[in-house]
């Protein structure tokens, strides 16, 4: 990747990710289908539980590792490397997820402090009475509805910036065969806003397209896609299984391949040039 004056070319980078999807979509379809099938099976077996979340995370890491291998080396030999690369990518993603959880906790803590501040005396009086505490929280949110909207917006921007700074962790992990997270912080220095802008330019339309395809899948199977509780309650029905599989397939194929294509392309352009072998 040629980076003019050390800067990420926004439109070119997004175009290269689209090109990666266009060139390797057949291989990506097979990988995404396997990943969607495993995620769907876990959803049918475990429902919306912590175990299901772990399975989804592991499958996403393995699929992402497979796509990055294609970006670096082509489709040949992906299966031989997948086990090790998938586990290493899952570990690096877990580190990033840990930092995201810290950011979310801090934003939520500040938002809750603002909401509950005027009701501090009532909260102390309620003690451990969960029903009273929930009633107070409902009143606080109703009185200041914009607080949560601002909190979600700020959290979204912070997460976008943090993940953009650590965006090269997964491709570095795959390419160097060991867990790499914090090197990405150095490599993306000076390009944070450009990387974030590239991701928005590329992935926002991708999310809209995936959402449309998922809505079509919900209409085909008659699944209650807009009601997560109803989906969880009917996790073993044919309609929900069919919808969940197609929804996961679209997510992994389109969004997953674009993410891998973009991060792999940026990694090749922003990593320091390795010294010549002795």
């Amino acid at each position: 990747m040629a980076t003019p004056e050390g800067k990420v070319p926004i439109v070119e980078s997004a175009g290269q990710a689209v090109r990666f999807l266009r060139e390797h979509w057949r291989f990506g379809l097979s990988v995404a289908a396997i990943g969607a099938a495993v995620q769907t099976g876990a959803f049918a077996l475990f429902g919306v539980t912590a175990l299901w979340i772990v399975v989804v995370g592991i499958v996403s890491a393995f699929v992402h590792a497979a796509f990055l291998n294609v970006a670096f080396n082509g489709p040949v030999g992906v299966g031989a490397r997948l086990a090790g690369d998938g586990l290493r990518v899952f570990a690096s993603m877990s580190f990033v997820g840990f930092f995201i959880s810290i950011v979310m906790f801090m934003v939520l803590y500040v938002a809750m402090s603002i909401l509950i501040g005027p009701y501090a005396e009532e909260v102390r009086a309620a003690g451990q009475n969960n029903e009273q505490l929930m009633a107070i929280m409902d009143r606080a949110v109703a009185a200041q509805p914009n607080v949560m909207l601002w909190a979600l917006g700020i959290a979204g921007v912070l997460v976008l910036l943090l993940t953009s700074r650590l965006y090269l962790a997964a491709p570095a992990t795959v390419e160097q065969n060991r867990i790499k997270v914090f090197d990405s912080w150095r490599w993306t220095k000076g390009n944070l806003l450009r990387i974030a802008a590239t991701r928005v330019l590329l992935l926002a339309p991708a999310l809209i397209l995936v959402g449309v395809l998922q809505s079509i899948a919900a209409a085909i199977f008659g699944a209650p896609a807009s009601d997560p509780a109803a989906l969880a309650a009917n996790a073993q029905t044919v309609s929900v299984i069919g919808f969940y599989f197609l929804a996961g397939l679209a997510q992994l194929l389109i969004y997953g391949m674009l993410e891998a294509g973009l991060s792999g392309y940026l990694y090749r352009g922003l990593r320091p040039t390795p010294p010549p072998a002795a």
Side-chain angles (χ1 to χ4, degrees):
M1 178 178 100
T3 52
E5 299 181 358
K7 298 299 182 182
V8 169
I10 296 173
V11 176
E12 178 187 339
S13 299
Q16 289 294 328
V18 175
R19 179 182 177 183
F20 173 73
L21 171 61
R22 188 175 66 247
E23 291 180 350
H24 299 287
W25 70 268
R26 292 179 180 84
F27 180 84
L29 181 62
S30 62
V31 173
I34 295 172
V38 175
Q39 290 182 346
T40 302
F43 183 69
L45 289 174
F46 309 124
V48 184
T49 60
L51 184 57
W52 167 72
I53 294 174
V54 171
V55 172
V56 169
I58 293 175
V59 170
S60 299
F62 273 68
V63 170
H64 193 54
F67 290 160
L68 285 171
N69 260 305
V70 175
F72 291 141
N73 308 305
V76 178
V78 171
R81 292 174 50 99
L82 186 57
D85 285 342
L87 291 175
R88 284 188 288 267
V89 169
F90 178 71
S92 68
M93 289 172 59
S94 299
F95 277 111
V96 176
F98 172 73
F99 294 119
I100 291 175
S101 66
I102 293 176
V103 170
M104 296 296 291
F105 174 80
M106 292 173 58
V107 173
L108 181 61
Y109 180 82
V110 173
M112 293 292 290
S113 299
I114 295 173
L115 287 172
I116 298 298
Y119 304 90
E121 293 297 331
E122 295 183 46
V123 171
R124 280 193 288 269
Q128 301 297 321
N129 191 315
N130 291 329
E131 292 184 2
Q132 291 185 22
L133 291 174
M134 290 301 299
I136 296 171
M137 176 56 70
D138 290 341
R139 287 164 48 204
V141 173
Q144 304 179 78
N146 291 332
V147 171
M148 291 305 297
L149 293 177
W150 276 103
L152 291 175
I154 292 172
V157 171
L158 291 177
V159 168
L160 173 65
L161 295 177
L162 175 62
T163 53
S164 295
R165 197 66 191 268
L166 299 174
Y167 201 55
L168 308 184
T173 296
V174 170
E175 201 267 341
Q176 299 186 28
N177 293 324
R178 60 181 186 271
I179 299 171
K180 307 285 287 188
V181 177
F182 300 109
D183 286 341
S184 176
W185 193 269
R186 292 187 290 105
W187 297 338
T188 56
K189 183 179 180 180
N191 282 292
L192 172 61
L193 295 181
R194 285 176 171 271
I195 293 173
T198 305
R199 293 177 67 196
V200 172
L201 174 65
L202 174 70
L203 300 177
L207 284 177
I208 294 173
L209 175 60
V210 169
V212 171
L213 294 176
Q214 291 176 342
S215 298
I216 294 174
I220 293 173
F221 286 98
S226 60
D227 189 348
L231 280 176
N234 298 277
Q236 297 179 345
T237 62
V238 174
S239 61
V240 170
I241 289 175
F243 158 74
Y244 194 88
F245 173 77
L246 290 182
L249 178 64
Q251 178 82 16
L252 292 174
L253 175 62
I254 299 175
Y255 190 83
M257 288 202 76
L258 290 176
E259 278 271 33
L262 178 60
S263 63
Y265 184 68
L266 294 178
Y267 169 73
R268 288 193 296 267
L270 294 176
R271 66 178 178 180
T273 304

